Amino acid sequence: MHADLLPLLKQHFGYSEFRSGQHAVIEAALAGQDSFVLMPTGGGKSLCYQLPALLLPQVTIVVSPLMSLMKDQVDALKANGIAAEFVNSSLSREQVLQVFARLRQGTLKLLYVAPERLLQPQFLDRLQDVGVSLFAIDEAHCISQWGHDFRPDYMALALLKQRFASVPVMALTATADSATRQDILQQLNLQQPYVHLGSFDRPNIRYTVQEKFRPTEQLISYLQQQDGASGIVYCSSRRKVDELTEQLKQRGFNAAAYHAGLSSDERNQVQDAFKRDDYQLIVATVAFGMGVNKSNIRFVVHFELPRTIEAYYQETGRAGRDGVPAEAMLLFDPADIGRMKRWLDNEENQQRAEVTWQRFLAMAAFAEAQTCRRQVLLNYFGEARQTRCGNCDICLQPPQQFNATELAQKALSCVYRVGQSFGMHHVIEVLRGGHSQKITELGHDKLSTWGLGKDLSHDYWLSILRQLIHFGLLQQDITAHSVLKLQPAARPVLRGETELMLAVPRLQSVKREPERRAVQKYDRLLFARLKALRKRIAERDDVPPFVVFSDASLIDMCQQLPTDKASLLAVSGVGQTKLARYGADFLDEIADYLAADASSAAGG
């Protein structure tokens, strides 16, 4: 191991050891070797180029797709005492010239740029004049036509190997299947690269899927359990984002909307306020994406089914980047599958439509799975996993099966009696003995199946009917207002020739198990005080709170209760620069808390 690596790791980043894979990638970069790095979000990708940049003689150029992402990373590096800057359109001409002056003087260790800026001929000429030690291409899946976030600007990065043949290139991504990985290596023309394929597993994230019944109320119930923690709610349309944001505000949640229909200034204001913990919740379309560099997001909710597992994985990965327990909750309506099929039927490029459909079916299979969610995810990415994770809804509360033959016969008979001409909600109303004007006018209150299921709730029957569709006994005719049609597989069940086992409908969310979720035990009152102090310091220094210290560092402080600089330096994430900058404030806060606690105990 390079002798300076561990001291630099502790001094600037506050860590005493490397995470899995980091050290080998760093050594490859220092040896001048190209590399491809696949690590999950929160796995420590950025350290793979930030640390060697401190030891390399010339500047490290980091290609990043979003301005806000650059600013956050540069703010965090500066807070760690590292000479870093960015160049993009948010800077004035004067500011850009100041960065270039530092580049010429050789005082910059890292410079962040967008691909469009990097590939300007004048910029490339300037870099050749000053010399480059390493190119790090973040979000490298953007270069691939198979990637889920393809960006044409990234394609031209192949030029780097032509202009800077001897400079190593490091390509980094959190999500890339086999086809995307091969495309990245080929497009960038990486020469005998060191390849690190990290695990896709994010063990600190709990995956939960809830069947949709009353989605807004289900969401509100879930959010009320979150104790004011930071979270994102993803919706599929701008209209739904605006509607849901308004509903949540009316219910007292500190929420803001984010989508491409807002102006650039509005989007930036919302994102900055969220990063500074001024908003608890962002309700967003997928436009709220890669620029989210906020380590203390505790949960991500998908209000509708995402289109691909890659997108789902990337979006849920925004929770728990600090390694502290986090949650990913998906609200799933099987009718989303039919809606997607109708949308793709209008796609002109049938080859693209077929690929999109297959990827969507994989996402739907994840939502409908009765096996460990994490196994489904990891197996999709080619990471075979046979053991259950113990931290998803299926593992925590395995679905219970019951003999549903009699219920199925009632439901199937009712579909037959109404002439196979009505949708789920009408069938349920008949089963439950409804007296609506429509039922009375049609004479459906005279049917033999009317009221046969009045002892069960609407949502219970909805789950049963969805399962009958899933098992192929019923079909929703999406060409005719989703009316229910009997299928051949329904006959033996109706005749009593075969038994049918279904899952007991899960009408409430999985019970939260605080002791299992909170892997770390720590003083919650002290944590709240340290969070408040962090917020005050962040506002004073004009940086997001997580740049001061991550939640993981605050939790470690609550566990270790440091009383002097030496013991504070032993806390994860506390390096020499942050010790000098913030140490006294946090030591005073901890000492005040402990003194008040001791006084209270003595008085008691």
Side-chain angles (χ1 to χ4, degrees):
M1 181 186 289
H2 198 291
D4 293 333
L5 285 179
L6 281 176
L8 281 173
L9 180 67
K10 182 59 186 172
Q11 177 186 341
H12 289 288
F13 299 95
Y15 303 122
S16 301
E17 57 187 29
F18 289 107
R19 294 193 197 176
S20 174
Q22 287 178 326
H23 176 241
V25 174
I26 289 167
E27 291 283 15
L30 291 173
Q33 186 178 3
D34 288 349
S35 53
F36 173 81
V37 182
L38 189 149
M39 284 184 182
T41 305
K45 286 191 302 298
S46 50
L47 192 81
C48 291
Y49 56 82
Q50 289 172 349
L51 190 59
L54 299 177
L55 291 168
L56 291 168
Q58 294 159 324
V59 70
T60 289
I61 300 295
V62 184
V63 181
S64 182
L66 292 172
M67 288 195 294
S68 57
L69 196 59
M70 293 181 203
K71 184 177 187 312
D72 287 347
Q73 294 213 332
V74 168
D75 282 345
L77 286 165
K78 288 179 175 177
N80 286 327
I82 296 169
E85 293 293 351
F86 62 85
V87 172
N88 62 36
S89 58
S90 72
L91 301 184
S92 67
R93 185 171 182 277
E94 191 64 36
Q95 289 172 313
V96 171
L97 291 174
Q98 287 172 2
V99 173
F100 285 160
R102 292 189 63 190
L103 192 60
R104 277 197 314 275
Q105 293 156 8
T107 58
L108 273 186
K109 282 297 174 187
L110 291 118
L111 178 63
Y112 285 71
V113 294
E116 309 92 301
R117 170 79 66 159
L118 172 64
L119 295 167
Q120 289 174 359
Q122 283 181 303
F123 196 88
L124 290 172
D125 290 343
R126 195 184 297 268
L127 290 182
Q128 282 191 306
D129 288 343
V130 300
V132 176
S133 284
L134 174 67
F135 286 104
I137 299 175
D138 208 1
E139 311 291 356
H141 57 271
C142 293
I143 201 172
S144 171
Q145 59 180 325
W146 304 112
H148 64 280
D149 199 10
F150 171 61
R151 297 186 178 212
D153 290 321
Y154 263 65
M155 292 282 285
L157 291 172
L159 181 67
L160 293 178
K161 272 297 175 188
Q162 297 170 25
R163 290 285 296 263
F164 300 85
S166 62
V167 178
V169 173
M170 182 186 296
L172 306 103
T173 180
T175 37
D177 58 18
S178 179
T180 306
R181 294 199 292 268
Q182 289 306 313
D183 205 22
I184 292 169
L185 295 174
Q186 190 176 344
Q187 295 279 1
L188 290 174
N189 194 23
L190 300 186
Q191 303 298 303
Q192 297 180 310
Y194 173 77
V195 176
H196 173 77
L197 301 180
S199 171
F200 280 90
D201 193 9
R202 295 285 306 282
N204 63 313
I205 297 179
R206 173 175 296 178
Y207 297 102
T208 301
V209 178
Q210 267 190 44
E211 196 174 350
K212 263 187 184 178
F213 296 110
R214 295 178 177 82
T216 304
E217 291 306 314
Q218 285 171 279
L219 174 64
I220 287 168
S221 172
Y222 176 80
L223 295 177
Q224 286 169 340
Q225 301 176 57
Q226 297 302 320
D227 303 325
S230 284
I232 305 171
V233 179
Y234 280 109
C235 300
S236 61
S237 70
R238 299 175 189 179
R239 182 179 58 80
K240 176 51 76 176
V241 165
D242 289 334
E243 282 177 7
L244 196 55
T245 304
E246 206 48 49
Q247 288 170 315
L248 292 177
K249 283 173 160 177
Q250 288 170 7
R251 296 293 287 267
F253 291 99
N254 183 15
Y258 186 106
H259 55 67
L262 301 173
S263 70
S264 176
D265 286 346
E266 287 173 313
R267 293 198 304 273
N268 290 338
Q269 183 274 321
V270 168
Q271 187 158 309
D272 286 344
F274 182 55
K275 284 187 298 200
R276 294 172 190 276
D277 290 345
D278 294 336
Y279 287 124
Q280 177 209 354
L281 282 175
I282 297 295
V283 184
T285 61
V286 293
F288 194 65
M290 286 188 294
V292 189
N293 183 33
K294 178 176 163 68
S295 67
N296 64 333
I297 295 170
R298 296 270 65 87
F299 63 91
V300 170
V301 177
H302 282 89
F303 201 72
E304 284 108 0
L305 195 63
R307 291 190 180 181
T308 67
I309 284 185
E310 287 91 344
Y312 173 77
Y313 179 82
Q314 181 105 2
E315 287 151 16
T316 57
R318 289 175 188 130
R321 290 174 62 145
D322 50 13
V324 176
E327 297 181 3
M329 205 264 276
L330 166 64
L331 289 169
F332 172 56
D333 180 350
D336 289 343
I337 299 170
R339 282 193 284 270
M340 184 65 163
K341 185 77 175 100
R342 285 196 298 278
W343 181 76
L344 285 173
D345 285 343
N346 296 320
E347 170 66 56
E348 289 180 11
N349 185 329
Q350 277 308 300
Q351 185 181 6
R352 185 186 301 153
E354 182 58 29
V355 172
T356 304
W357 177 238
Q358 293 307 319
R359 285 186 161 178
F360 181 75
L361 285 180
M363 185 65 230
F366 168 85
E368 293 175 325
Q370 299 287 304
T371 53
C372 168
R373 307 272 181 211
R374 201 175 309 271
Q375 280 181 289
V376 177
L377 270 183
L378 295 178
N379 287 328
Y380 177 84
F381 286 115
E383 189 176 332
R385 182 72 63 93
Q386 305 306 321
T387 52
R388 292 155 64 90
C389 75
N391 193 30
C392 71
D393 57 331
I394 299 292
C395 289
L396 292 168
Q397 285 192 354
Q400 291 178 281
Q401 300 284 310
F402 77 110
N403 188 330
T405 309
E406 188 180 331
L407 284 185
Q409 288 170 337
K410 290 178 180 178
L412 296 169
S413 296
C414 193
V415 171
Y416 176 74
R417 296 292 175 197
V418 298
Q420 303 183 69
S421 303
F422 295 86
M424 281 199 281
H425 296 291
H426 183 79
V427 170
I428 291 170
E429 259 198 283
V430 174
L431 280 167
R432 297 190 70 237
H435 293 282
S436 70
Q437 184 179 346
K438 183 178 177 183
I439 283 178
T440 308
E441 286 177 356
L442 292 166
H444 286 176
D445 53 339
K446 305 292 191 296
L447 296 175
S448 58
T449 51
W450 182 83
L452 277 183
K454 61 186 175 189
D455 52 331
L456 297 175
S457 72
H458 178 279
D459 293 347
Y460 194 99
W461 276 116
L462 189 57
S463 179
I464 296 297
L465 285 171
R466 284 170 174 172
Q467 290 186 68
L468 294 177
I469 293 167
H470 188 47
F471 277 91
L473 279 69
L474 287 174
Q475 184 182 53
Q476 278 182 299
D477 187 347
I478 61 173
T479 66
H481 310 292
S482 294
V483 303
L484 293 174
K485 305 270 192 187
L486 292 167
Q487 298 300 293
R491 283 200 193 100
V493 175
L494 275 168
R495 292 171 180 162
E497 296 167 2
T498 183
E499 287 189 341
L500 181 68
M501 303 297 289
L502 295 179
V504 175
R506 188 176 280 167
L507 304 182
Q508 276 131 16
S509 58
V510 175
K511 294 189 188 76
R512 289 170 71 84
E513 300 179 39
E515 69 284 353
R516 294 198 61 167
R517 177 175 181 246
V519 177
Q520 301 109 321
K521 294 192 184 304
Y522 57 92
D523 188 323
R524 296 299 200 274
L525 289 175
L526 175 56
F527 180 72
R529 282 183 58 162
L530 295 182
K531 267 183 77 175
L533 170 62
R534 178 178 69 178
K535 183 87 164 74
R536 293 196 297 273
I537 290 172
E539 287 172 351
R540 179 196 74 196
D541 292 355
D542 194 28
V543 294
F546 61 85
V547 166
V548 178
F549 284 122
S550 68
D551 279 10
S553 293
L554 298 190
I555 288 170
D556 207 14
M557 289 180 203
C558 293
Q559 292 169 329
Q560 295 196 38
L561 301 175
T563 54
D564 55 32
K565 288 185 176 180
S567 53
L568 184 58
L569 200 55
V571 168
S572 174
V574 180
Q576 294 290 352
T577 306
K578 287 191 175 181
L579 178 70
R581 196 170 288 172
Y582 310 124
D585 289 331
F586 280 86
L587 286 170
D588 287 348
E589 190 72 26
I590 293 167
D592 285 352
Y593 179 79
L594 293 176
D597 203 34
S599 171
S600 167

